[in-house]
């Protein structure tokens, strides 16, 4: 007798005796018997069979077997066979070799906001805050929040920070590389299930029925260049952790169908464990919830051997045989219900934590989603899909950012780029038809699972359910590339079956692997520094205003203002509403004293975006320089209205009041700055200096001591307080602070000059002479020091004459 359906016990019937059960530890092959009693190979699926020996008692129940298919993919592939542990070692080494040169890279691009400026990484921030903040450290309840809820990813950043004792990028990069290596190694097991099927021996050990195919697919995944952003960019940690728990969830779901001691058809524990791992994946990145959909597809196609086309036909014809076909008796309905309940619970909790609905994105981030016409939106969304497909097929043109005009909108069917959409859907429809209509159950399963892994993890980035904050992003392709590598491996198997020169085909695949490894090494090297990363994008997206902006910003940070102006102007030309480029360009022009143009740019920026607090503050600084004091004051207060906690704006407002001799207002403004930002050294210094200049020495001393308690190693504060103490005739304490400030900054001429003045007043003339000379050596043009030194020399001459007399 044989087994007609998975999870269904068959009653014994008369007929030829079946083959004896396999010996323990030996791979078993489930077989189906035709009505005539002859064995035939069936679709790869789990089977529960009741076996009998002729005239013998019923044998032990064999659980979870996978029949071999009509087309043996592993047999057709011209590739080498390795033991499982060697295959994993090779895949791990390949993945490490591709990205190892990024281990000592800098913090680049989004790393600044997610890591360097994220207070959730600091030890002083309560650990509980991670569960109420977004990925960038902002409050999830805020309307300005990005709503990216990834607390477990931020937790790993925090652990990196604590172990390294600060912001040292090496540890961050090394962990990313290790994660990618671990994921690539896991892919060997995942692909062995997807391509070869799920089968266990009598000891409950899973068998690898496609060792060559799984090694090839895992190798293609390990060296795919589109993964560079996730591995070499530290912020890509979110995608790596999400992928890790995504795969663990899938493998856990597969374990639910391993034989257990109770003889149950499946383990509820492992199904629930898989859902829990999916929730953990979601807490690393939102994309993780899609593993529940992948598990459901796997259950239907592999565990229950459902023919989707037949099911659709029966549903359309209201065929009652659908229920009797085992859909509900095999536990599928119960497991799918568990997956749905788990997914619904995750989404409800996620929505509740978000608090204020979806995030607000701007048109420059995702222009297609802001198009008025439904036709334009649909056409451009599909064009974005075709670009993502092209990045998987040919990952040579890679860019850190694809927004800001990088992809002009398609507004007419006459646009030649429509061809890309047609090509994409032609391929997809062809694969779908083959996956649904093929008589080869093995082919149906692999194509459907491949498409499932390609499409389902991509759905959160598709704009179908909600607007996303990007047009194209390489990082979201990390998980979908699993489906791509699976389909590519299957295609290679079909070619091998038809090809006469299989070695040449194998050499071509080896060439693809080597080419991808070279591309990974080049691209990961570009991610080592912002300058290389930003410049690499100029040739890929020359119309992207953000690329020009970032190149200009990098040049400005290095002090090359002339070159920075060129790129900022180009960014504004490409996107006339690019307020951040206007703000930065206005800042540089202000420093170069080109105040009129700076004022025009900043005024335009706040006109375009009235709540742009930084532009309002910078406009106030320019107006202050132009001596338009009332307008400057109004600009400062407008900035504070839009950003209530703005210490730098309070500092600049205090400078304005000081210029107007409104000393009380200036002190209040600087005090507000230090309350909001206790380490605001400039505000503390200005308070000390103003109080010193107005003769309030006791108050100046109190403020100076308070400041040094908060910022004990700030040499400028030591210097200011030392001056106050010297005027108060506290010479010893003043001397100690001067010497400490000089030790911290030995090349400051003013420090030596003022210490010389202290010694001059104190009567230590030799030490005064020594420090006057050091000060003049460091700054020969200092007029005050020259005069004081002349006075000292005359005094020393007088004393010498008196001594001679």
């Amino acid at each position: 007798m044989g087994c007609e359906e998975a999870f269904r016990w068959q009653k014994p019937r008369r007929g030829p005796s079946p083959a004896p059960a396999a010996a323990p530890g030996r791979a078993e092959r489930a077989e189906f018997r035709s009505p005539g009693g002859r064995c035939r190979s069936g679709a790869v699926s789990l089977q529960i069979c009741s076996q009998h020996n002729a005239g013998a008692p019923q044998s032990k129940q064999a659980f979870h077997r996978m029949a071999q298919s009509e087309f043996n993919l592993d047999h057709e592939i011209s590739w080498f066979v390795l033991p499982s542990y060697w295959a994993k070692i090779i895949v791990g080494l390949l993945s490490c070799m591709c990205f190892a040169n990024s281990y000592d890279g800098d913090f680049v691009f989004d790393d600044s906001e997610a890591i360097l400026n994220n207070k959730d990484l600091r030890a002083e921030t309560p650990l509980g805050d991670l569960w109420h903040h977004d990925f960038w450290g902002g409050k999830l309840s805020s309307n300005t929040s990005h709503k990216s809820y990834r607390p477990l990813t931020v937790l790993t950043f925090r652990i990196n920070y604590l172990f390294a004792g600060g912001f040292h990028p090496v540890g961050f990069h090394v962990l990313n590389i290790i994660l990618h290596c671990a994921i690539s190694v896991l892919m060997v097991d995942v692909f062995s299930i997807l391509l070869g099927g799920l089968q266990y021996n009598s000891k409950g050990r899973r068998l690898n029925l496609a060792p060559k195919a799984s090694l090839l697919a895992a190798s293609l995944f390990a060296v795919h260049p589109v993964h560079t952003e996730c591995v070499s960019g530290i912020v890509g940690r979110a995608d790596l952790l999400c992928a890790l728990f995504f795969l663990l969830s899938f493998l856990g779901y597969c374990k639910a169908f391993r034989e257990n001691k109770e003889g149950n058809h499946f383990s509820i524990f492992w199904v629930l464990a898989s859902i829990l791992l999916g929730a953990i994946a979601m807490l690393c990145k939102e994309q993780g919830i899609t593993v529940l959909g992948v598990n459901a597809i796997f259950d239907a196609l592999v565990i229950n051997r459902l023919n989707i086309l037949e099911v659709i036909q029966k549903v359309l014809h209201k065929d009652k045989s659908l229920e009797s076909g085992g859909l509900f008796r095999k536990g599928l309905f119960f497991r799918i219900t568990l997956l749905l309940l788990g997914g619904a619970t995750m989404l409800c909790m996620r929505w509740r934590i978000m608090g204020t609905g979806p995030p607000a994105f701007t048109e420059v981030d995702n222009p297609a989603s802001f198009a008025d016409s439904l036709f334009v939106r649909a056409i451009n969304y599909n064009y974005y899909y075709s670009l993502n497909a092209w990045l998987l097929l040919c990952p040579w043109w890679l860019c850190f950012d694809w927004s800001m005009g990088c992809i002009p909108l398609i507004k007419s069917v006459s646009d030649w780029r429509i061809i890309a959409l047609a090509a994409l859907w032609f391929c997809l429809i062809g694969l779908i038809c083959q996956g649904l209509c093929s008589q080869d159950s093995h082919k149906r399963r692999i194509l459907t699972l491949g498409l499932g892994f390609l499409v389902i993890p991509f759905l959160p980035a598709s704009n179908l359910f909600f607007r996303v904050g990007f047009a194209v992003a390489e990082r979201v392709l990390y998980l979908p590339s699993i489906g791509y590598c699976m389909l590519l491996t299957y295609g290679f198997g079909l070619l091998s079956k038809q090809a006469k020169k299989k070695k040449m085909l194998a050499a071509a695949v080896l060439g693809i692997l080597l080419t991808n490894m070279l591309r990974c090494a080049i691209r990961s090297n570009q991610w080592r520094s912002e300058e290389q990363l930003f410049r690499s994008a100029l040739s890929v997206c020359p119309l992207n205003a953000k690329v020009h902006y970032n190149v200009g910003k990098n040049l400005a940070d290095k002090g090359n203002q002339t070159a920075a102006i060129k790129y900022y102007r180009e960014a504004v030309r490409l996107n006339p509403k690019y307020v951040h480029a206007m703000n930065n360009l206005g800042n540089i022009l202000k420093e170069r004293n080109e105040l009129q143009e700076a004022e025009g740019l900043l005024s335009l920026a706040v006109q375009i975006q009235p709540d742009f607090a930084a532009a309002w503050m910078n406009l106030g600084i320019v107006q202050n320089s132009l001596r338009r004091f009332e307008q400057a004051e109004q600009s400062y207060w407008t900035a504070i209205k839009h950003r209530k906690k703005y210490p730098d704006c309070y500092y600049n407002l205090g400078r304005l009041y000081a210029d107007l001799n409104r000393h009380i207002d200036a002190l209040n403004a600087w005090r507000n700055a230090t309350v909001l930002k206790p380490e605001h050294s400039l505000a503390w210094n200005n308070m000390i200096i103003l109080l010193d200049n107005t003769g309030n020495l006791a108050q100046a001393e109190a403020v100076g001591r308070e400041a040094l308690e908060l910022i004990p190693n700030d040499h400028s504060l030591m210097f200011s307080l030392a001056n106050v103490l010297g005027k108060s005739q506290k010479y010893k304490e003043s001397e100690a602070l001067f010497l400490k400030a000089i030790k911290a900054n030995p090349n400051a001429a003013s420090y030596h000059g003022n210490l010389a003045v202290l010694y001059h007043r104190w009567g230590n003339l030799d030490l005064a002479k020594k420090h006057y000379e050091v000060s003049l050596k460091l700054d020969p043009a200092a007029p005050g020091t020259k005069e004081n030194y002349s006075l000292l020399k005359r005094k020393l001459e007088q004393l010498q004459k008196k001594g001679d007399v």
Side-chain angles (χ1 to χ4, degrees):
M1 59 132 288
C3 298
E4 296 298 323
E5 295 174 342
F7 299 115
R8 182 178 179 184
W9 293 98
Q10 300 292 326
K11 295 181 179 180
R13 61 187 174 96
R14 292 181 181 180
S17 300
R26 183 180 174 186
E28 297 175 322
R29 179 177 176 179
E31 294 179 332
F32 297 88
R33 291 195 180 273
S34 63
R38 296 179 63 184
C39 294
R40 62 181 178 86
S41 296
V44 179
S45 59
L46 285 167
Q47 299 297 320
I48 302 175
C49 300
S50 175
Q51 294 186 335
H52 295 267
N53 292 322
Q58 183 176 353
S59 64
K60 292 183 179 180
Q61 300 170 356
F63 193 66
H64 300 297
R65 302 179 188 174
M66 192 69 69
Q68 294 191 3
S69 64
E70 293 90 333
F71 169 62
N72 192 327
L73 176 65
D74 216 60
H75 176 72
E76 299 297 338
I77 288 181
S78 300
W79 204 245
F80 43 84
V81 180
L82 291 173
S84 179
Y85 64 91
W86 273 113
K88 292 178 180 180
I89 289 172
I90 286 178
V91 169
L93 288 175
L94 288 176
S95 59
C96 183
M97 289 167 60
C98 288
F99 305 104
N101 62 342
S102 66
Y103 85 95
D104 60 345
D106 298 329
F107 293 108
V108 298
F109 195 40
D110 285 339
D111 296 344
S112 297
E113 289 301 316
I115 298 173
L116 298 178
N117 299 331
N118 191 343
K119 292 183 178 179
D120 287 341
L121 271 64
R122 313 286 175 88
E124 59 269 19
T125 303
L127 201 59
D129 285 4
L130 271 65
W131 302 95
H132 304 287
H133 291 173
D134 62 21
F135 186 56
W136 315 95
K139 289 186 177 180
L140 273 169
S141 57
S142 171
N143 291 327
T144 60
S145 172
H146 196 273
K147 306 297 182 183
S148 300
Y149 187 60
R150 304 164 191 174
L152 295 184
T153 303
V154 179
L155 180 61
T156 65
F157 290 154
R158 182 168 174 144
I159 293 171
N160 265 131
Y161 172 81
L162 293 175
F163 270 89
F167 292 113
H168 304 293
V170 172
F172 289 85
H173 282 293
V174 168
L175 184 53
N176 271 28
I177 296 170
I178 291 173
L179 284 171
H180 177 64
C181 291
I183 291 165
S184 300
V185 168
L186 275 180
M187 289 310 307
V188 177
D189 288 330
V190 171
F191 282 126
S192 72
I193 295 171
L194 297 176
L195 297 170
L198 187 62
Q199 178 175 328
Y200 293 92
N201 62 20
S202 58
K203 294 182 179 180
R205 186 173 182 180
R206 188 182 59 78
L207 302 174
N208 186 350
L209 300 179
K212 291 192 289 185
S214 60
L215 172 59
L216 174 58
S219 299
L220 288 169
F221 177 87
V223 303
H224 203 296
V226 83
H227 298 159
T228 312
E229 180 177 356
C230 295
V231 183
S232 300
I234 298 173
V235 169
R237 174 86 56 83
D239 298 88
L240 296 174
L241 288 171
C242 174
L244 177 64
F245 288 104
F246 183 103
L247 297 179
L248 291 175
S249 174
F250 174 74
L251 292 172
Y253 198 80
C254 293
K255 279 193 174 184
F257 305 99
R258 185 175 58 182
E259 183 177 6
N260 54 46
K261 295 178 181 178
E262 290 78 13
N264 296 329
H265 298 316
F266 64 92
S267 168
I268 295 179
F269 169 80
W270 279 110
V271 173
L272 295 176
S274 174
I275 294 172
L276 177 61
L277 288 167
I280 294 173
M282 187 180 178
L283 290 174
C284 296
K285 191 176 181 180
E286 298 77 6
Q287 203 175 9
I289 194 174
T290 59
V291 71
L292 302 183
V294 169
N295 289 343
I297 294 291
F298 177 81
D299 196 338
L301 295 179
V302 177
I303 308 302
N304 284 267
R305 294 190 302 112
L306 290 182
N307 186 322
I308 296 178
L309 186 61
E310 290 182 2
V311 171
I312 293 173
Q313 290 173 346
K314 289 181 179 180
V315 169
L316 292 176
H317 293 90
K318 298 181 180 179
D319 192 337
K320 293 183 178 179
S321 65
L322 183 65
E323 296 182 9
S324 63
L327 181 62
F328 298 99
R329 290 196 301 274
K330 299 173 187 176
L332 174 62
F333 182 77
F334 175 70
R335 293 191 297 274
I336 296 297
T337 302
L338 285 180
L339 293 174
L340 287 173
L341 287 174
T345 302
M346 292 181 207
L347 290 175
C348 288
M349 293 181 66
R350 176 75 170 81
W351 187 261
R352 186 173 181 180
I353 290 169
M354 280 173 58
T356 55
F361 297 112
T362 60
E363 185 176 353
V364 294
D365 296 322
N366 186 358
S369 64
F370 286 85
D372 295 329
S373 167
L374 179 62
F375 170 78
V376 173
R377 288 201 301 274
I379 288 293
N380 283 279
Y381 286 160
N382 281 274
Y383 182 58
Y384 293 164
Y385 306 156
S386 66
L387 286 176
N388 281 284
W390 181 250
L391 287 176
L392 288 172
L393 286 167
C394 184
W396 203 257
W397 291 275
L398 300 175
C399 183
F400 72 93
D401 187 275
W402 293 82
S403 63
M404 290 275 187
C406 189
I407 309 171
L409 287 179
I410 297 176
K411 298 181 179 179
S412 168
V413 291
S414 61
D415 194 312
W416 67 269
R417 291 176 291 171
I418 293 287
I419 298 172
L421 280 69
L424 172 69
W425 282 105
F426 176 80
C427 294
L428 282 178
I429 291 172
L431 289 171
I432 291 169
C433 290
Q434 289 290 317
L436 294 180
C437 304
S438 175
Q439 296 300 315
D440 186 342
S441 59
H442 181 78
K443 184 177 182 179
R444 286 202 311 268
R445 179 176 60 82
I446 287 186
L447 289 178
T448 310
L449 284 177
L451 287 170
F453 269 87
L454 181 69
V455 173
I456 293 175
F458 183 75
L459 288 176
S462 65
N463 287 287
L464 292 178
F465 305 107
F466 46 82
R467 177 184 292 160
V468 297
F470 52 84
V472 174
E474 295 158 19
R475 59 187 175 274
V476 302
L477 295 176
Y478 194 87
L479 281 170
S481 66
I482 298 173
Y484 165 75
C485 294
M486 183 176 172
L487 294 173
L488 188 62
T489 301
Y490 182 73
F492 176 57
L494 292 179
L495 287 175
S496 295
K497 185 179 182 181
Q498 303 297 328
K500 294 181 180 179
K501 297 181 179 180
K502 294 186 177 183
K503 290 184 178 180
M504 289 185 64
L505 190 59
V509 173
L510 187 61
I512 291 173
L513 288 173
L514 293 174
T515 302
N516 280 355
M517 288 180 68
L518 176 63
R519 179 62 179 133
C520 284
I522 293 171
R523 185 60 179 160
S524 61
N525 185 63
Q526 291 171 344
W527 272 88
R528 293 179 71 251
S529 70
E530 286 193 334
E531 181 180 5
Q532 294 182 82
L533 178 64
F534 297 154
R535 288 191 177 277
S536 69
L538 288 173
S539 59
V540 180
C541 285
L543 300 179
N544 189 334
K546 187 181 285 188
V547 169
H548 292 274
Y549 167 82
N550 279 293
V551 173
K553 186 175 182 296
N554 183 258
L555 289 167
D557 292 341
K558 293 183 176 180
N560 191 349
Q561 292 186 341
T562 303
I565 288 174
K566 170 188 169 185
Y567 285 99
Y568 281 143
R569 289 193 190 281
E570 180 65 10
V572 174
R573 186 190 72 80
L574 291 170
N575 183 1
K577 294 183 178 180
Y578 199 172
V579 292
H580 293 284
M582 294 176 188
N583 179 59
N584 287 15
L585 179 56
N587 267 337
I588 293 180
L589 294 175
K590 172 196 70 182
E591 293 173 9
R592 294 163 73 95
N593 208 33
E594 299 178 29
L595 300 178
Q596 297 296 337
E597 186 180 359
E599 183 183 24
L601 280 166
L602 293 167
S603 297
L604 180 59
V606 297
Q607 184 180 346
I608 295 170
Q609 186 177 328
D611 63 347
F612 191 3
W616 278 112
M617 182 190 74
N618 290 325
L619 179 59
I621 295 172
V622 172
Q623 290 167 337
N624 190 14
S625 301
L626 291 169
R627 305 189 68 78
R628 298 175 186 164
F629 300 123
E630 291 184 6
Q631 293 178 6
E633 183 180 7
Q634 185 178 355
S635 295
Y636 287 140
W637 282 115
T638 305
I640 292 169
K641 182 182 75 172
H642 293 300
R643 189 191 297 179
K644 292 179 171 54
K645 296 181 179 181
Y646 204 173
D648 289 339
C649 193
Y650 276 112
Y651 165 74
N652 285 302
L653 180 62
R655 290 186 59 187
L656 169 66
Y657 288 144
D659 291 341
L660 296 174
N661 292 321
R662 294 166 58 178
H663 296 158
I664 301 299
D665 291 334
L667 289 170
N668 287 335
W670 288 329
R671 174 58 72 176
N672 284 334
T674 59
V675 169
L676 294 172
K677 186 179 178 182
E679 66 275 15
H680 204 304
S681 175
L682 290 173
W684 286 113
N685 247 321
N686 279 17
M687 277 196 284
I688 298 168
I689 293 169
L690 180 59
L691 291 167
D692 182 4
N693 292 340
T694 54
N696 296 310
L697 296 180
Q699 194 175 351
E701 180 181 342
V703 171
R705 293 186 187 280
E706 182 184 356
L708 276 177
E709 284 183 8
L710 293 168
I711 322 172
N713 298 319
D714 192 303
H715 55 81
S716 62
L717 290 175
M718 298 174 194
F719 172 70
S720 297
L721 180 56
N723 284 329
V724 173
L725 293 171
K727 291 180 182 179
S728 301
Q729 296 184 353
K730 298 179 179 180
Y731 297 133
K732 196 68 179 176
E733 194 175 357
S734 176
E735 177 194 28
L737 281 174
F738 272 128
L739 291 173
K740 196 173 180 182
I742 289 171
K743 184 178 180 181
N745 188 15
N747 294 323
S750 59
Y751 290 9
H752 290 279
N754 283 26
L755 177 57
V757 171
L758 176 72
Y759 285 135
H760 198 159
R761 291 179 178 175
W762 201 359
N764 295 333
L765 302 185
D766 291 335
L767 288 174
K769 182 175 181 293
K770 171 188 172 183
H771 284 280
Y772 277 137
E773 289 171 351
V774 173
S775 179
L776 288 170
K777 185 177 181 180
L778 292 170
D779 183 11
T785 306
K786 278 184 177 181
E787 293 174 6
N788 289 334
Y789 187 45
S790 298
L791 290 173
L792 177 64
K793 285 198 294 185
R794 284 200 294 269
K795 189 170 184 178
L796 287 172
E797 289 172 0
Q798 291 173 1
L799 290 173
Q800 189 176 1
K801 288 178 181 179
K802 288 181 180 179
D804 293 340
V805 173

